[in-house]
Amino acid sequence: MRRTALLASVSALVVGMIAWPAARHADAAPATFVHPGVTVSAAQLDFARGKVDSGAQPWKGAFDQMMASKYADLNRTPKPRATVECGSYSNPDYGCTDERQDAIAAYTDALAWYITRDDRYARKSIQLMDAWSAVLKEHTNSNAPLQTGWAGSSWPKAAEIIKYTYPGGWANSGRFATMLRDVYLPEVINGSHSNGNWELSMMEAAVGISVFLEDRTSYDKAMAKFRTRTAAYVYLSSDGDLPKTVPSQNLDTKAKIVTYWQGQSTFVTGLTQETCRDLTHTGYGISAISHIAETSRIQGQDLYGTDVGERLRQALGFQSKYQLGAAVPSWLCGGSLNLGLGPVTEVGYNALHNRLGIAMTNTQTLTQQQRPAGSNNLFVAWETLTHGDNPA
């Protein structure tokens, strides 16, 4: 009996050793976080810096575009407030635009610092982050979750670059971390049952904030929600007759699913939950998927080889085809699409086409047409500079 028990113990140990890497691979946070590590890595920044310094295109043109933008203005005055109130479509807009754009400016200045090594830009980025962390207490009204997701996606990207690459110091970095932990994270971490781009943007913020805070618990929770939402946002034929759903939304009949998918009842690979709404909001969702996948890759778990990558590839290709002017068939959104995908293709295209070697003809054409990709003034900025044909 003792021998049997010993064999059972050894067997259990072996099974555990086999199972543990699989469990780690399933979404768990890294044992040690990589910094800077939100959407863009040090190696990617170094690549971009080298290309700009040598005057190579499209990076030099993308850098010049960024530096000529309002976001790189060293005379920018931050406009923080204690309560940011955002209604539907930012009406009312009490600090909504100011917050989002100050966050993009902080990230822009951080990029400018890294590439030029001009201390003025690092100090400007710090000034913007410090101004908000000294004042902000809450987000209110109906768009609070989305607003927090958008601004909360840009702040950590700026903070990661400054904290981990600027040698001049950042005295109030702890206060900024407290703002992210107390004001932003609680607003985004539990997700949303609204249109899918909401929860995807909120999870982008949650993942980025978790990296900066080195919060493994929040990282794991956000990544799990992200995986579920991505599967429910982009349809693949392998999903079956109907798209996957987020269980807590109780979309338990075809009629409910069709309504949630903007009235679309024919499901084809690459269609998203918001394609028939418009490509602009669809682009928000696609962008957030690519940003989270990129952060995850930097942190040591490459999701591009999973269904996340396949859904991203198909969503990019499907939307790019129509953004480029392909005729819309009658079965798709009643034969009419509202275009405007936005500057959201660089990260996914670089990862899937350049790194993995996947042919993406429509996405490639659109990406190259749109270069240099600028900002959508919400949470996307300068991705030709940071990710355009970037092998790092």
Side-chain angles (χ1 to χ4, degrees):
M1 287 182 67
R2 288 179 63 190
R3 185 169 180 271
T4 301
L6 178 62
L7 285 171
S9 298
V10 171
S11 177
L13 180 61
V14 170
V15 169
M17 290 173 67
I18 292 170
W20 184 82
R24 159 66 186 101
H25 184 71
D27 299 320
T32 304
F33 284 98
V34 175
H35 304 290
V38 177
T39 310
V40 62
S41 67
Q44 289 171 314
L45 291 167
D46 287 339
F47 174 84
R49 185 176 184 230
K51 290 298 186 183
V52 172
D53 285 349
S54 68
Q57 298 297 354
W59 305 276
K60 180 60 165 64
F63 172 75
D64 290 343
Q65 173 199 41
M66 179 182 81
M67 297 304 287
S69 76
K70 64 184 179 181
Y71 296 114
D73 183 359
L74 287 170
N75 293 314
R76 183 181 190 87
T77 301
K79 298 178 180 177
R81 60 172 67 208
T83 298
V84 173
E85 181 180 353
C86 306
S88 182
Y89 293 94
S90 292
N91 182 24
D93 178 348
Y94 298 136
C96 316
T97 300
D98 291 337
E99 179 189 29
R100 292 193 306 266
Q101 296 193 0
D102 277 351
I104 292 173
Y107 176 53
T108 301
D109 289 326
L111 290 174
W113 140 254
Y114 197 93
I115 290 172
T116 67
R117 292 302 196 268
D118 184 336
D119 280 23
R120 293 178 301 164
Y121 290 101
R123 292 197 297 267
K124 192 66 182 180
S125 183
I126 290 169
Q127 181 199 9
L128 290 161
M129 291 189 284
D130 283 354
W132 281 88
S133 70
V135 173
L136 183 65
K137 298 301 180 188
E138 63 178 349
H139 296 84
T140 63
N141 214 320
S142 59
N143 259 34
L146 182 60
Q147 170 71 18
T148 312
W150 283 341
S153 294
S154 296
W155 287 129
K157 291 191 290 189
E160 282 279 300
I161 294 172
I162 295 300
K163 182 174 180 179
Y164 292 100
T165 74
Y166 177 55
W170 178 14
N172 290 314
S173 64
R175 188 178 74 195
F176 185 81
T178 297
M179 177 186 75
L180 294 183
R181 181 182 297 108
D182 295 348
V183 179
Y184 286 86
L185 194 56
E187 188 71 46
V188 297
I189 192 64
N190 292 316
S192 166
H193 287 161
S194 184
N195 283 299
N197 82 85
W198 278 52
E199 184 159 273
L200 288 165
S201 289
M202 291 163 71
M203 290 310 104
E204 179 184 345
V207 167
I209 289 168
S210 296
V211 171
F212 185 71
L213 298 178
E214 298 194 328
D215 183 339
R216 301 180 80 250
T217 300
S218 292
Y219 185 95
D220 290 349
K221 182 174 182 178
M223 287 298 298
K225 281 191 174 294
F226 163 69
R227 294 293 294 267
T228 300
R229 176 59 69 177
T230 298
Y233 194 70
V234 182
Y235 176 80
L236 299 178
S237 60
S238 57
D239 293 338
D241 292 339
L242 295 172
K244 291 181 179 293
T245 63
V246 175
S248 56
Q249 288 192 260
N250 299 312
L251 300 173
D252 50 8
T253 67
K254 180 176 181 179
K256 289 181 182 179
I257 291 171
V258 168
T259 298
Y260 188 59
W261 282 62
Q262 319 294 326
Q264 178 69 12
S265 58
T266 302
F267 301 103
V268 297
T269 292
L271 182 79
T272 81
Q273 181 255 316
E274 295 187 272
T275 299
C276 292
R277 181 187 186 188
D278 57 63
L279 295 198
T280 301
H281 286 87
T282 298
Y284 300 164
I286 291 172
S287 179
I289 293 170
S290 71
H291 291 168
I292 296 171
E294 193 72 357
T295 296
S296 180
R297 183 189 70 87
I298 294 166
Q299 297 303 327
Q301 182 198 6
D302 197 333
L303 296 177
Y304 291 115
T306 72
D307 79 297
V308 170
E310 181 63 8
R311 291 179 197 278
L312 177 60
R313 177 175 80 91
Q314 297 291 354
L316 283 168
F318 187 87
Q319 267 61 222
S320 293
K321 173 183 176 180
Y322 294 108
Q323 184 65 40
L324 287 167
V328 182
S330 59
W331 57 262
L332 177 61
C333 311
S336 177
L337 283 171
N338 295 311
L339 303 179
L341 189 61
V344 301
T345 63
E346 288 278 16
V347 176
Y349 169 72
N350 184 57
L352 296 164
H353 176 73
N354 293 328
R355 286 202 204 102
L356 298 185
I358 301 169
M360 298 175 70
T361 306
N362 289 323
T363 307
Q364 180 173 11
T365 299
L366 182 61
T367 300
Q368 293 174 348
Q369 274 188 14
Q370 290 185 335
R371 284 178 172 169
S375 175
N376 70 354
N377 303 310
L378 298 173
F379 69 105
V380 178
W382 324 126
E383 293 181 350
T384 298
L385 174 62
T386 55
H387 291 81
D389 301 334
N390 191 325

